[in-house]
Amino acid sequence: MKMNESTFNIIKAQAVRLAGMQTSLYHKKFEGLDLNAMQSQQDFEKLPFTDKADLRDCYPLGLAAVPMRDVVRIHSSSGTTGVPVIIPYTKKDVDDWAIQFKRCYEIAGITPEDRIQITPGYGLWTAGIGFQLGAELLGATAIPMGPGNTEKQLQFMQDMGSTVLCATSSYALLLCEEIAKRGIADKICLKKGVIGSERWGEKMRARIRDGLGIELYDIYGLTEIYGPGIGINCSYNTGIHVFDDFCYYEIIDPNTGETLPDGQMGELVITTLQKEGAPLIRFRTHDLTRLIPGQCPCGRSYPRIDAIMGRSDDLFKVKGVNMFPAQVEEVLRSVTYAGSEYRIEIDHIGGRDHMTVFFETNAPKTDYEAIEKVIQTHFKSRIGLTPDVRAVEVGALPRSEKKTRRVFDNR
Ligand code: ZN
């Protein structure tokens, strides 16, 4: 994304200020860099990244870039290693988050007339409270249910006349099924769903959308950068609008760290422009997406990112082409007879990468060759590479109780 001059100036001033602050993690990170000599976006793109491990090392309150008396709240994201990340917020940070969340509701066409039932959790994490502050700033009616207690959720949904449901996709689906089971659909006034942007398939989306008869909106966000509510899709559904007056967004090649041109798939990296409590420069989200070039038909000038396609940790590279399991799944899904189970083997033979995709099918053996050919063609046109493709019988690929490993890189 082209960085405009005012964004560049904000980021430069912020980098210089943080580097000069003894207690900041950027004091060490930017050591030896002449930040005052930074002149362009290209210079900015040479700054080192900030990763979740950097934040973890700041535990407990090392991320605070203001005196603690200016911190009005903390939130926390859990890490896989057990050490949590603590994010301090000033009054302005909390307000700015609510402003962005309000925008999200507005982009989804939600108004002060709406009654918003909030089912994400309240507590140390940034879910429920963000949905609530945005709703209140908008002037809508917040119904702060929190998670679980389906009985009460459905009762309140009817009695309060909830028009908007905020939920994870799995909880929205559960509520949808319970409503059908009880035959109370005609007592439900829901019109819209604002769904947390975990990766969820088109099938699940259709079941919730058609089951509840509502429009669905994907909300994006992460605790390290405010929380949910820093982006949402509009009714044209051409990607997630993100707010470039609060953050600067770039896409990098997760292997080389190089900034990629708009339109190319890679890892989303975010720099905060207005945060006081815990400003972050070039924070690696590990979310895979792309910046969508051009203008949305809705006319909003906020840039757009694509739906999150997975985690950059899952990315692998064959013959110079970056790909990840979700893309392979997409190709297989598009072909009749290909089951959901697959396995990718990557070898290096005779100086060249060699990729083989095994997939299960219940088609007769005589059809294997034809199906393999079709899948090869789809790979070539969608991903830009032709792997070896081998059909196997259903049940032939190993399964595991835990998350099944799909990619075997033998190079
Ligand atoms: Zn739009």
Side-chain angles (χ1 to χ4, degrees):
M1 191 162 85
K2 176 119 181 52
M3 186 188 278
N4 66 37
E5 201 182 327
S6 90
T7 302
F8 175 79
N9 290 335
I10 291 170
I11 292 176
K12 180 174 173 178
Q14 172 167 272
V16 169
R17 189 175 60 83
L18 291 172
M21 197 184 286
Q22 291 282 338
T23 54
S24 168
L25 81 104
Y26 293 101
H27 187 66
K28 212 167 160 196
K29 194 173 268 298
F30 292 162
E31 207 180 333
L33 298 177
D34 185 4
L35 298 169
N36 283 304
M38 236 167 66
Q39 281 183 352
S40 64
Q41 179 173 354
Q42 285 68 36
D43 293 338
F44 162 78
E45 286 167 2
K46 287 178 198 136
L47 291 180
F49 295 110
T50 308
D51 217 328
K52 189 141 176 172
D54 294 315
L55 274 44
R56 228 178 270 131
D57 292 343
C58 292
Y59 186 86
L61 292 165
L63 263 183
V66 293
M68 278 307 285
R69 67 167 177 275
D70 294 332
V71 172
V72 299
R73 190 198 294 167
I74 60 131
H75 279 294
S76 168
S77 75
S78 56
T80 40
T81 58
V83 180
V85 167
I86 305 290
I87 309 285
Y89 292 65
T90 65
K91 178 75 172 66
K92 175 178 160 51
D93 295 337
V94 169
D95 292 346
D96 284 351
W97 182 18
I99 290 168
Q100 292 176 80
F101 218 124
K102 173 178 179 249
R103 264 188 212 168
C104 287
Y105 283 136
E106 286 169 340
I107 290 175
I110 295 163
T111 73
E113 303 296 325
D114 278 300
R115 301 171 189 183
I116 305 180
Q117 184 155 342
I118 300 164
T119 72
Y122 285 74
L124 270 177
W125 53 96
T126 47
I129 198 161
F131 284 90
Q132 171 146 0
L133 290 178
E136 289 174 355
L137 187 62
L138 176 67
T141 307
I143 306 164
M145 302 298 292
N149 203 343
T150 300
E151 212 56 54
K152 197 167 184 178
Q153 299 277 6
L154 295 177
Q155 196 60 53
F156 269 59
M157 198 177 277
Q158 297 171 68
D159 297 346
M160 300 302 125
S162 306
T163 56
V164 176
L165 172 67
C166 300
T168 60
S169 54
S170 44
Y171 197 55
L173 182 61
L174 185 142
L175 288 173
C176 171
E177 286 167 349
E178 288 299 321
I179 288 167
K181 218 184 276 172
R182 287 154 211 240
I184 52 171
D186 57 331
K187 298 195 178 93
I188 302 291
C189 314
L190 288 182
K191 287 187 284 203
K192 289 168 194 220
V194 177
I195 309 294
S197 75
E198 55 195 1
R199 231 190 93 213
W200 49 316
E202 194 41 50
K203 249 186 201 155
M204 191 167 188
R205 181 182 294 269
R207 278 172 71 192
I208 299 169
R209 188 182 50 219
D210 302 341
L212 291 172
I214 59 176
E215 286 167 29
L216 294 178
Y217 293 87
D218 269 328
I219 196 142
Y220 180 68
L222 56 165
T223 297
E224 291 83 354
I225 314 283
Y226 296 105
I230 63 171
I232 196 166
N233 61 298
C234 68
S235 58
Y236 288 90
N237 214 0
T238 59
I240 297 170
H241 284 286
V242 289
F243 308 128
D244 51 351
D245 48 346
F246 285 97
C247 293
Y248 177 72
Y249 294 84
E250 52 183 328
I251 300 289
I252 62 156
D253 179 323
N255 294 321
T256 64
E258 232 176 290
T259 307
L260 296 173
D262 291 1
Q264 276 194 38
M265 187 69 72
E267 178 181 334
L268 183 66
V269 169
I270 304 178
T271 298
T272 63
L273 303 177
Q274 305 216 27
K275 251 187 155 207
E276 296 177 334
L280 293 176
I281 297 173
R282 305 199 85 199
F283 179 70
R284 291 187 65 157
T285 65
H286 292 272
D287 283 331
L288 286 175
T289 180
R290 63 192 184 104
L291 280 162
I292 299 173
Q295 178 90 25
C296 181
C298 77
R300 291 181 183 89
S301 63
Y302 301 127
R304 290 165 296 158
I305 57 171
D306 214 335
I308 306 303
M309 290 295 284
R311 300 283 295 165
S312 62
D313 318 79
D314 299 333
L315 197 88
F316 57 97
K317 197 170 191 170
V318 181
K319 291 182 185 165
V321 179
N322 279 329
M323 65 186 105
F324 44 95
Q327 281 178 305
V328 175
E329 278 163 41
E330 229 178 68
V331 170
L332 293 176
R333 237 200 336 261
S334 68
V335 178
T336 332
Y337 299 124
S340 60
E341 290 299 314
Y342 66 94
R343 179 185 172 110
I344 298 163
E345 297 263 359
I346 308 162
D347 296 284
H348 199 69
I349 303 163
R352 299 186 65 179
D353 287 340
H354 196 87
M355 174 173 162
T356 313
V357 179
F358 296 89
F359 71 98
E360 293 187 350
T361 177
N362 48 20
K365 279 214 167 72
T366 44
D367 291 351
Y368 278 14
E369 210 185 315
I371 302 170
E372 289 166 355
K373 282 248 161 60
V374 171
I375 291 179
Q376 272 187 325
T377 320
H378 281 257
F379 260 98
K380 180 71 191 158
S381 65
R382 291 185 184 208
I383 302 180
L385 157 153
T386 311
D388 250 5
V389 177
R390 303 271 173 80
V392 297
E393 283 170 29
V394 172
L397 293 176
R399 273 134 172 97
S400 123
E401 285 290 308
K402 287 177 273 159
K403 201 175 159 219
T404 307
R405 197 173 148 213
R406 310 243 184 227
V407 182
F408 293 79
D409 196 336
N410 309 317
R411 288 173 292 189

